[in-house]
Amino acid sequence: MTRAFDIVKQNPQRVIIFDTTLRDGEQSPGCAMNLEEKIKMARLLDELGVDIIEAGFPVASPGDFEAVNQIAHTVKNATVCGLSRAKKGDIEASAEAIKPARSKRIHTFISTSPLHMKHKLQMDPDNVFEAVKESVTFARNFTDDVEWSAEDASRTEDDFLCKCVEAAINAGARTINIPDTVGYAMPGEYAAKFKMLIERVPNIDMCILSTHCHNDLGVAVANSLAGVIAGARQIECTVNGIGERAGNAAVEEIVMALRTRRDIMPFETGVETTKITKTSRTLSAITGFSVQPNKAIVGANAFAHASGIHQDGMLKNANTYEIMTPESVGLSESKLVMSKHSGRHAFREKLKELGFELGDNALNDAFARFKNLADRKREIFEDDLIALVEDEMVRENERIRFISLQVQAGTRGPQTATMVLSVDGKEAPASVVGNGPVDAIFKAIREIYPHEEAKLQLYQVHAVTGGTDAQAEVTVRLEEKGKTVTGTGTDADTLVASARAYIHALNKLLTKRSSVNPQTGEIAAANA
Ligand code: KIV
Ligand code: ZN
């Protein structure tokens, strides 16, 4: 028996949350994370209470293997899972990478739709069927907890799907995943697939059925919930819904929908919902993918009541317009917290309260930046501290580091950036003229560390809090030979934040290694 199987056996209304932020999410363009970032996210997912963390695709590259392996060492509660195609080498790599985990799963998959078998795999159905049996049987040599996925299941013929599912269960798979790989299914249709399997596959009781929905038509969450109502007991999803193309089903939406509408969906998850906001914000800070303001649960406006009528109703009784409380997702109003008179001890205690434990060096750097900020900004809010500390954390172990910047800007020109960076521990200065201050800064970085082939794809500025003295949070996306990386930078000075964001992206570009996309088998454009 697997751990997930035991949980569902004890409580048949319990839904297993399988988080694939670090695999399906991370492999999408612009979402690549480095080792430290992946470990940080894995810790947060573990605290959030997801049951399974799909930590990556170990055979893809030494970097992916290392990340899955380190996550397996780190995670305390969740099962750690590695993805593998139906190939022995892939399965062996996953088995080795997840070895240190307290609880481990191997996830193996192959396409079963006529379109994928013919054009992508160039295999006939008989060979695919053999590969299903062989891959699951082989994976069972390493762990009892094997998941098998029928890629493009929603476009697979029912007879063939039933035959493969039955064989995978006989070979030892204890979770069977029915992905809507291309986000094509509609909720009624997707639910019917599960009902069909439950009716027709004789050994279906020996497995947990799982949903895995992409959001191409905007119904990934609706499909996942429809799957559960029809009998699935595992949902595969990602934080903020990141993932291939339009993304995957969003974990925060699924969990809050199940919690809020227990009246018609009497199911439970193990997720501690008050950790949702922190997990979402950290992922946004790491990847530079901010969520849209009107995004359900984690968007900046998700709990904001702007119209007069709504505000009036809220004051009389919050239930008039609020179906869940902001506190239930860990959202509290950003409080005014510190001033320039606050000392190191108070600073450390406040960071602890916000969930950050920094080592001595990182604490010293963050404290120096806090003092600098407090000199320039009248009021320091919790959001300011979170932005500052997260900015400090993503910078650990960087080869290229920001030291100083002076900019001449305005109508008089020439707009010039005079900058000092540290490259592998050595100081490197440059003074460069550009078409505006940001252009001059980015050119100065290019002069200090040439990287001609990288193209700037995105430059975006957000204010962390309100007011003209708010800190700026800048996002920079670079693309080089089809690979994209995203960097972020925060500072009270927008130009310094811009420099930090560009340097962050450049460091990520340097650590990027080539890897294989699990779905296409090709060297991926976006994998870290
Ligand atoms: O979307 C998909 O089909 C996948 C599989 C690898 C499970 O991500
Ligand atoms: Zn997927």
Side-chain angles (χ1 to χ4, degrees):
M1 274 304 133
T2 66
R3 190 199 232 182
F5 212 93
D6 282 344
I7 294 175
V8 174
K9 196 148 198 147
Q10 273 174 23
N11 176 2
Q13 299 309 93
R14 175 67 151 73
V15 175
I16 301 292
I17 296 293
F18 176 109
D19 183 280
T20 183
T21 306
L22 295 170
R23 199 280 298 170
D24 219 346
E26 203 266 346
Q27 82 192 39
S28 62
C31 287
M33 296 174 223
N34 63 28
L35 181 64
E36 287 76 26
E37 292 166 342
K38 286 183 188 173
I39 292 171
K40 183 174 174 192
M41 274 314 298
R43 281 209 180 99
L44 285 179
L45 290 169
D46 205 22
E47 279 173 29
L48 182 66
V50 306
D51 299 285
I52 297 157
I53 296 174
E54 187 165 52
F57 179 43
V59 83
S61 71
D64 279 44
F65 180 93
E66 174 73 1
V68 177
N69 192 248
Q70 290 295 325
I71 289 169
H73 272 292
T74 308
V75 161
K76 294 201 170 74
N77 304 309
T79 297
V80 178
C81 172
L83 182 70
S84 331
R85 291 165 297 185
K87 294 179 184 223
K88 284 196 165 166
D90 283 34
I91 294 168
E92 278 163 350
S94 280
E96 191 57 31
I98 61 173
K99 225 179 214 169
R102 293 182 189 181
S103 167
K104 22 189 170 280
R105 171 176 293 191
I106 294 178
H107 177 190
T108 178
F109 74 99
I110 192 164
S111 293
T112 49
S113 68
L115 202 71
H116 275 221
M117 288 192 290
K118 183 165 179 211
H119 298 287
K120 183 183 122 167
L121 298 176
Q122 295 170 341
M123 283 167 78
D124 60 37
D126 288 345
N127 291 337
V128 168
F129 181 66
E130 287 310 312
V132 173
K133 291 189 286 185
E134 276 168 23
S135 56
V136 174
T137 307
F138 187 63
R140 277 296 302 255
N141 291 325
F142 305 98
T143 170
D144 289 348
D145 193 345
V146 173
E147 168 172 339
W148 178 73
S149 284
E151 193 186 1
D152 206 17
S154 51
R155 295 191 297 172
T156 297
E157 287 163 354
D158 286 353
D159 287 350
F160 189 59
L161 188 60
C162 287
K163 183 175 158 180
C164 290
V165 167
E166 185 179 349
I169 298 171
N170 277 337
R174 290 294 163 258
T175 298
I176 298 289
N177 185 29
I178 307 298
D180 182 27
T181 302
V182 290
Y184 179 72
M186 286 292 126
E189 197 182 5
Y190 193 57
K193 230 19 173 195
F194 286 90
K195 286 190 192 136
M196 183 280 296
L197 288 168
I198 292 168
E199 266 165 31
R200 290 185 49 186
V201 176
N203 53 1
I204 203 79
D205 288 352
M206 290 168 65
C207 78
I208 291 175
L209 285 170
S210 171
T211 69
H212 178 111
C213 300
H214 283 267
N215 206 29
D216 299 65
L217 293 172
V219 288
V221 170
N223 279 346
S224 309
L225 297 173
V228 167
I229 293 167
R233 284 296 176 273
Q234 175 177 287
I235 298 181
E236 303 199 353
C237 44
T238 61
V239 175
N240 296 346
I242 65 167
E244 292 276 11
R245 306 180 307 279
N248 290 58
V251 60
E252 62 279 4
E253 294 180 23
I254 284 164
V255 167
M256 290 312 288
L258 290 176
R259 184 182 144 135
T260 308
R261 296 308 312 273
R262 280 206 75 178
D263 53 333
I264 53 165
M265 295 185 287
F267 305 107
E268 283 164 35
T269 71
V271 168
E272 171 50 60
T273 61
T274 54
K275 305 253 159 94
I276 284 177
T277 299
K278 183 177 171 196
T279 313
S280 158
R281 284 188 182 163
T282 306
L283 183 70
S284 293
I286 286 176
T287 59
F289 259 56
S290 325
V291 294
Q292 80 217 42
N294 60 334
K295 157 97 174 59
I297 318 296
V298 291
N301 293 350
F303 292 90
H305 300 275
S307 95
I309 296 174
H310 288 204
Q311 284 175 351
D312 181 54
M314 284 289 294
L315 289 173
K316 289 176 177 145
N317 180 340
N319 291 330
T320 50
Y321 288 101
E322 210 165 68
I323 58 167
M324 53 201 157
T325 63
E327 291 76 22
S328 65
V329 299
L331 197 68
S332 55
E333 211 162 283
S334 185
K335 291 184 218 115
L336 186 59
V337 277
M338 308 201 84
S339 72
K340 63 177 175 183
H341 305 296
S342 309
R344 188 185 304 264
H345 182 69
F347 181 71
R348 187 198 284 267
E349 287 308 303
K350 187 68 209 174
L351 292 191
K352 260 198 202 154
E353 198 186 305
L354 294 173
F356 297 107
E357 298 262 7
L358 300 190
D360 283 345
N361 288 346
L363 185 82
N364 286 347
D365 290 350
F367 186 66
R369 282 185 67 183
F370 157 69
K371 281 289 186 188
N372 188 292
L373 180 66
D375 272 341
R376 294 195 271 170
K377 192 170 184 296
R378 228 166 10 102
E379 297 170 317
I380 307 281
F381 293 90
E382 280 182 351
D383 285 351
D384 285 314
L385 288 188
I386 293 169
L388 188 150
V389 172
E390 284 182 351
D391 187 72
E392 205 50 52
M393 285 168 90
V394 296
R395 257 149 254 288
E396 273 167 9
N397 308 322
E398 285 190 336
R399 282 183 60 197
I400 305 175
R401 297 176 81 88
F402 173 85
I403 295 189
S404 68
L405 172 70
Q406 268 187 321
V407 178
Q408 181 178 324
T411 48
R412 280 244 181 107
Q415 280 99 15
T416 312
T418 303
M419 171 176 265
V420 182
L421 302 182
S422 150
V423 179
D424 295 327
K426 277 203 193 112
E427 288 205 2
S431 190
V432 175
V433 172
N435 294 320
V438 176
D439 186 54
I441 291 167
F442 291 179
K443 278 185 177 150
I445 300 172
R446 282 174 186 268
E447 185 168 305
I448 294 173
Y449 195 95
H451 48 285
E452 283 85 19
E453 288 186 61
K455 308 249 168 336
L456 180 68
Q457 276 198 332
L458 174 90
Y459 170 69
Q460 187 175 280
V461 184
H462 283 291
V464 173
T465 57
T468 50
D469 63 353
Q471 289 193 91
E473 195 169 59
V474 176
T475 305
V476 164
R477 189 167 307 142
L478 296 177
E479 185 266 335
E480 187 182 66
K481 295 188 188 147
K483 292 177 186 155
T484 44
V485 287
T486 306
T488 54
T490 309
D491 198 273
D493 184 320
T494 310
L495 297 176
V496 173
S498 304
R500 286 181 174 279
Y502 194 102
I503 293 164
H504 184 212
L506 181 57
N507 276 298
K508 279 187 162 181
L509 207 58
L510 301 184
T511 53
K512 225 164 160 27
R513 282 166 256 182
S514 61
S515 57
V516 183
N517 182 309
Q519 262 108 344
T520 63
E522 289 160 4
I523 300 293
N527 277 6

